[in-house]
Amino acid sequence: DTGVSQDPRHKITKRGQNVTFRCDPISEHNRLYWYRQTLGQGPEFLTYFQNEAQLEKSRLLSDRFSAERPKGSFSTLEIQRTEQGDSAMYLCASSPEGAFFGQGTRLTVV
Amino acid sequence: AQSVTQLDSQVPVFEEAPVELRCNYSSSVSVYLFWYVQYPNQGLQLLLKYLSGSTLVESINGFEAEFNKSQTSFHLRKPSVHISDTAEYFCAVSAGFQKLVFGTGTRLLVSP
């Protein structure tokens, strides 16, 4: 399978803990995106990389969130000091034409 | 900035009936348009996209959408739906190959 891969698929964590998600994009795609989707809503943009450069961050990305894409390959999204409001599906996508999405990581903060 | 409106939160339809899911967008620049389908607890699957050229685009599973610039619409249609088409459908817009802006989605419910 050469699609976008996300790990883990599900994560349950206690409030205040740190979590990290990984995304492996389609290998030849240089653009990588993170989105967040809450129940009953469409995905909302969080941040975007072209190769290793983080080119745009949404205002949704508070200072507790950080994303990296070392060497322009896989990407990680870390949430520090998780809050219940962080519970959502975190989706990764890669380009170029139209975004191809991974299966997402569902985060539940208890 | 771009925005997308999907007026219908839910569309119930009987199997083998035609369906139209509405999508209107707003943008001050030229845009690319997309339709995605999402099954429960899954990521989004790209159904079809309009980038340029013919305003009528088709998917491999019988869906089609028509870009109408004057009405700023990109409605999704299928002439005959199946039970397996039951899912959430999202319309999205982007200005260039940048971030996608999504609508709130339309739940298509196909019953026998």
Side-chain angles (χ1 to χ4, degrees):
Chain A
D1 188 305
T2 56
V4 179
S5 176
Q6 290 189 247
D7 183 70
R9 290 291 309 277
H10 303 275
K11 178 72 176 179
I12 299 174
T13 190
K14 292 183 179 178
R15 187 163 52 95
Q17 297 294 304
N18 299 345
V19 294
T20 300
F21 310 140
R22 177 181 171 124
C23 171
D24 287 273
I26 295 170
S27 58
E28 61 268 28
H29 289 176
N30 59 1
R31 297 172 189 244
L32 185 148
Y33 308 79
W34 286 98
Y35 293 83
R36 181 172 69 185
Q37 185 180 24
T38 53
L39 274 176
Q41 299 296 317
E44 295 174 294
F45 170 77
L46 291 178
T47 190
Y48 148 56
F49 291 85
Q50 181 156 333
N51 300 314
E52 65 275 11
Q54 189 172 19
L55 296 187
E56 187 176 352
K57 293 196 292 186
S58 161
R59 282 170 288 182
L60 292 176
L61 213 66
S62 75
D63 55 8
R64 296 185 298 107
F65 287 70
S66 62
E68 295 182 341
R69 193 183 182 195
K71 303 178 183 178
S73 55
F74 70 92
S75 176
T76 58
L77 178 68
E78 180 183 18
I79 309 174
Q80 296 182 327
R81 306 180 303 280
T82 52
E83 301 172 356
Q84 286 189 322
D86 296 332
S87 295
M89 174 81 91
Y90 290 84
L91 294 162
C92 176
S94 68
S95 256
E97 281 188 353
F100 296 93
F101 283 81
Q103 294 297 298
T105 294
R106 181 166 293 285
L107 173 66
T108 303
V109 182
V110 297
Chain B
Q2 293 77 46
S3 66
V4 175
T5 301
Q6 291 183 251
L7 286 172
D8 305 306
S9 60
Q10 189 166 291
V11 173
V13 65
F14 288 109
E15 194 174 19
E16 297 183 4
V19 71
E20 177 179 85
L21 305 183
R22 296 182 292 170
C23 171
N24 288 87
Y25 69 93
S26 172
S27 176
S28 57
V29 299
S30 295
V31 295
Y32 302 125
L33 293 153
F34 306 84
W35 274 101
Y36 287 87
V37 59
Q38 186 175 37
Y39 300 99
N41 295 313
Q42 298 289 318
L44 281 75
Q45 297 175 28
L46 181 64
L47 255 186
L48 45 76
K49 59 189 177 186
Y50 171 78
L51 302 180
S52 64
S54 172
T55 57
L56 183 66
V57 291
E58 298 176 349
S59 73
I60 58 172
N61 56 355
F63 284 95
E64 64 178 32
E66 186 159 21
F67 170 54
N68 188 318
K69 189 174 181 179
S70 63
Q71 298 189 2
T72 61
S73 68
F74 191 56
H75 301 330
L76 182 69
R77 302 183 184 95
K78 189 171 186 180
S80 175
V81 295
H82 301 157
I83 296 284
S84 59
D85 292 325
T86 294
E88 190 88 19
Y89 291 79
F90 292 96
C91 181
V93 62
S94 75
F97 297 127
Q98 298 176 22
K99 63 187 177 187
L100 289 166
V101 176
F102 286 86
T104 52
T106 297
R107 181 172 298 278
L108 177 63
L109 292 169
V110 182
S111 52

